[in-house]
Amino acid sequence: MHEQGNRRKHVVVIGTGGTIASSGADAIDFHNYSVSSTVEQILTAVPEAGQIARLSSTQPANVDSFMIDNSVLLAVARAAKDAVQDDAVDGIVITHGTDTLEETAYFLHLVLPTNKPVVVVGAMRPATAMSADGPLNLFNAILAATNSSSVQKGVLVVVNGHIYSARDVMKRDTSSIDAIDGGKYGILGEISGENVNFVHAPVKPHTSNSEFSLFGLDELPHVDVLFDHQSAGPHLYEAALAAGAKGIVVAGTGNGSLSAGARQGAAYAHDAGIPFIRASRTGQGIVASLKSDSEHGIISANSLTPQKARVLAMLAIAHGEGVVGLQDVFDNY
Ligand code: ASP
């Protein structure tokens, strides 16, 4: 059973858009849909959620998540911070598109000053589709947000009955119902009916134990991710630096190995005093530091994917970390 006791927990549901708030032309339209519903409207589709929590909602955005930029990300984060800092609020749920859910979830994981449950949720099928997954995902997310075992677990992602840590979660398939996955780090727990069962807890610092916050953060620095491959040229690195990038993350091959072009890009970044972070296009595993990193002050992303390395790099750079301190940040978070 869900939390005993007469007082239903107060959960704020923060809507940002995504497939969970989308509708298509008919029940077999799985791809050509658009965002159509507000967070209040998707909540009306799950009346049972009102039986397990006292719900209120806000809507800082209503877009596909592949359209979220740094300004929208900050607006969502500020709405989440305001909600968790309200003493009357017990937990929050953020409804979000799945395409970039992992980036928003990890950003919130690093900046929200709270131990309260924070749960991000999305759906692979629009509300109008046959076997839509949004309603149950949303119910499960609200259930998790009311559960005391979700406290001090950092930002969680609840999809398909699984509970993931924001640090590990990634979208690993274009359209499969189980596209959201934890990779080699797996799940923290799972939801079965009204039972929220955790079997693991995050180890790396997050939320109230993170050194990062939104304080004084009016904007985020521009950090680019570049994809390495055979015969890659240095021109994209030159272009990123010319466009004002304050950091570059390369999705290197294997252990974050660099092509000749990418290594030239690292030299350009080093000469410009811009942090250059080596991640891996494989999507998982620790990118081991190499002796050759010292030549251009290259930083290892440790076990963060390129897209999450960019999130951490933006925050660390915004908080004044230079090339030297960044390796400690990546080894710690
Ligand atoms: N197809 C994506 C989703 O599942 C669209 C988005 O990320 O907004 O939500």
Side-chain angles (χ1 to χ4, degrees):
M1 289 298 289
H2 62 84
E3 284 295 280
Q4 298 304 320
N6 297 325
R7 188 177 78 87
R8 285 174 302 154
K9 299 282 180 69
H10 178 194
V11 173
V12 176
V13 183
I14 300 171
T16 74
T19 297
I20 196 169
S22 298
S23 53
D26 53 40
I28 55 172
D29 179 0
F30 294 100
H31 298 293
N32 296 292
Y33 49 75
S34 56
V35 174
S36 57
S37 304
T38 64
V39 63
E40 289 185 354
Q41 288 169 323
I42 62 174
L43 281 170
T44 58
V46 192
E48 297 79 4
Q51 297 166 16
I52 61 170
R54 285 182 294 117
L55 298 172
S56 58
S57 61
T58 63
Q59 185 100 46
N62 209 20
V63 296
D64 291 308
S65 73
F66 49 80
M67 296 299 288
I68 290 177
D69 61 13
N70 283 348
S71 60
V72 172
L73 178 64
L74 283 171
V76 171
R78 289 180 187 124
K81 180 173 78 71
D82 292 347
V84 295
Q85 289 187 323
D86 181 341
D87 290 340
V89 172
D90 297 300
I92 69 171
V93 167
I94 297 104
T95 60
H96 197 286
T98 58
D99 286 0
T100 69
L101 180 150
E102 63 210 78
E103 295 169 61
T104 300
Y106 189 48
F107 184 76
L108 297 175
H109 193 68
L110 294 171
V111 299
L112 286 183
T114 187
N115 290 324
K116 294 178 183 176
V118 178
V119 185
V120 184
V121 63
M124 291 304 298
R125 297 172 183 153
T128 45
M130 200 181 297
S131 302
D133 54 330
L136 180 55
N137 283 353
L138 181 53
F139 177 84
N140 284 345
I142 292 167
L143 184 69
T146 64
N147 196 289
S148 56
S149 55
S150 302
V151 168
Q152 218 163 356
K153 290 278 195 321
V155 172
L156 304 170
V157 173
V158 168
V159 171
N160 210 20
H162 292 155
I163 306 168
Y164 300 96
S165 171
R167 190 187 185 279
D168 307 331
V169 73
M170 63 179 87
K171 187 170 185 179
R172 295 165 63 96
D173 190 277
T174 57
S175 53
S176 168
I177 199 70
D178 62 353
I180 299 294
D181 189 279
K184 71 191 319 184
Y185 304 117
I187 62 174
L188 293 183
E190 53 192 327
I191 294 174
S192 169
E194 291 197 40
N195 300 300
V196 178
N197 303 291
F198 281 93
V199 290
H200 300 296
V203 172
K204 303 263 186 181
H206 58 74
T207 53
S208 56
N209 295 321
S210 169
E211 66 190 272
F212 303 113
S213 74
L214 293 173
F215 182 75
L217 203 54
D218 298 327
E219 62 179 357
L220 289 166
H222 172 146
V223 175
D224 281 324
V225 179
L226 297 176
F227 197 88
D228 203 15
H229 51 81
Q230 290 183 353
S231 191
H235 55 287
L236 295 181
Y237 300 87
E238 290 177 292
L241 294 168
K246 297 294 184 281
I248 292 178
V249 175
V250 59
T253 54
N255 177 49
S257 305
L258 301 179
S259 64
R263 187 160 295 279
Q264 181 59 56
Y268 290 151
H270 185 246
D271 293 345
I274 299 296
F276 187 93
I277 297 135
R278 207 163 43 82
S280 172
R281 73 181 196 182
T282 62
Q284 59 182 16
I286 292 175
V287 173
S289 293
L290 301 172
K291 290 178 183 168
S292 56
D293 287 339
S294 59
E295 183 185 5
H296 300 310
I298 295 171
I299 294 142
S300 157
N302 199 285
S303 60
L304 287 175
T305 57
Q307 54 272 33
K308 288 187 179 172
R310 172 183 166 272
V311 171
L312 181 56
M314 285 197 295
L315 276 170
I317 292 164
H319 282 71
E321 283 296 352
V323 172
V324 174
L326 268 172
Q327 188 60 68
D328 289 341
V329 168
F330 275 90
D331 290 342
N332 189 26
Y333 286 86

